[in-house]
Amino acid sequence: MKTYTRALTIAGSDSGGGAGIQADLKTFSALGCYGMSVLTALTAQNTKAVTAILSVPPAFIAEQLKAVLSDIGADAVKIGMLHSPEVIEQVARTLTEFGVTTIVLDPVMVAKSGDKLLQDEAIDALKTYLLPMAKVITPNLPEASVLLGRPVETAADMLPAAVELAKLSSGAILVKGGHLNSAESTDLLYVSAEEQHWFPTERIKTENSHGTGCTLSSAIAAGLAKGLSIVEAVAAAKVYLTQALQAGAVYRLGHGHGPVHHFFNVWQ
């Protein structure tokens, strides 16, 4: 009897379909995983803005998690938008209860439109409860700045930031360089003091970059679920995202930041 490679996303819903739960499930499917979801919030969102957020009660988030993990299980879990300390603590407690260890944490704080998605008081909870549990953490430069309480803005800032973030976690740190003011979008994977990997990638000229962070972290989770090492999973995820950005650049959807093309390898 065949079995699926199981990937679970714990994140918010994007009604526009480009980021959040929707981007995660598309990525899992495109990369050969059976995707499952636990919704933490509903957003009224399109390519231009987030106009409203409706939080899911922490107890119901736990019920969703228990329903999935007690029956289906998960080979890897990707965590995205967790908006409050109570939600963060509940998710950490339930994942611990079920012995989940392959966790990719994308510390989502601000939408592409600039709308804030994380309460200020949730940042300490994120560092206390979830950073120590994650196998990989994927902050961009603004998110690294918030987590560390100091500016992280240049390529020279990335390694010191990764070293400092590694002290808060037992996992690897992927500092994403999409916000760098350069011709390349270079990411740094910090595995240990002895092992670091730089991933320089030509910057794709496109307005359709909504959901890139969600897509990358989900692709990493898919790779880990399929048994890849952390370095292999990150490398494969970078290739997938770059191709999705290239394919999506020729499309037009909405009037703001459109999505990447998650299914470029299936249809054009």
Side-chain angles (χ1 to χ4, degrees):
M1 183 69 70
K2 291 183 177 181
T3 58
Y4 291 102
T5 299
R6 306 157 300 170
L8 170 64
T9 169
I10 306 170
S13 168
D14 173 4
S15 53
I21 287 281
Q22 288 81 353
D24 298 340
L25 291 176
K26 290 173 184 177
T27 302
F28 292 158
S29 297
L31 296 177
C33 291
Y34 178 80
M36 302 161 289
S37 60
V38 169
L39 269 70
T40 60
L42 306 179
T43 68
Q45 186 175 171
N46 53 31
T47 63
K48 297 190 294 182
V50 178
T51 57
I53 299 176
L54 179 64
S55 302
V56 175
F60 190 72
I61 293 172
E63 287 301 316
Q64 294 177 76
L65 264 173
K66 291 174 183 177
V68 171
L69 295 176
S70 65
D71 176 36
I72 302 170
D75 297 303
V77 173
K78 173 265 171 86
I79 300 176
M81 178 185 173
L82 304 178
H83 49 278
S84 72
E86 295 78 15
V87 168
I88 290 167
E89 290 181 40
Q90 184 67 76
V91 167
R93 188 181 308 119
T94 307
L95 290 176
T96 300
E97 177 185 341
F98 283 90
V100 176
T101 58
T102 304
I103 299 169
V104 178
L105 174 62
D106 185 19
V108 178
M109 298 176 184
V110 179
K112 182 71 67 177
S113 58
D115 297 282
K116 185 181 255 186
L117 301 175
L118 181 72
Q119 297 174 9
D120 290 336
E121 56 268 29
I123 295 168
D124 286 340
L126 198 69
K127 292 193 286 188
T128 299
Y129 294 101
L130 285 178
L131 262 67
M133 295 177 61
K135 187 177 287 288
V136 186
I137 302 164
T138 64
N140 59 29
L141 299 187
E143 290 160 352
S145 299
V146 172
L147 288 171
L148 296 176
R150 61 176 179 79
V152 180
E153 299 172 335
T154 69
D157 295 333
M158 292 172 71
L159 182 55
V163 170
E164 197 170 340
L165 286 169
K167 296 176 182 178
L168 303 174
S169 172
S170 58
I173 312 297
L174 181 68
V175 181
K176 299 178 296 188
H179 288 78
L180 292 173
N181 184 20
S182 63
E184 290 186 327
S185 176
T186 300
D187 297 350
L188 167 63
L189 176 64
Y190 181 92
V191 180
S192 67
E194 297 74 36
E195 183 181 1
Q196 300 103 44
H197 302 269
W198 291 89
F199 293 92
T201 306
E202 181 182 357
R203 191 176 296 277
I204 308 300
K205 294 181 180 179
T206 177
E207 289 295 312
N208 297 332
S209 57
H210 182 52
T212 50
C214 303
T215 298
L216 181 65
S217 56
S218 295
I220 295 169
L224 294 175
K226 292 191 288 187
L228 298 183
S229 69
I230 291 174
V231 177
E232 291 170 335
V234 170
K238 284 282 293 179
V239 171
Y240 170 74
L241 177 58
T242 299
Q243 292 175 327
L245 278 163
Q246 289 172 330
V250 300
Y251 283 83
R252 186 67 193 168
L253 186 74
H255 299 87
H257 291 285
V260 305
H261 191 338
H262 293 94
F263 294 113
F264 65 87
N265 54 352
V266 179
W267 55 270
Q268 294 291 335

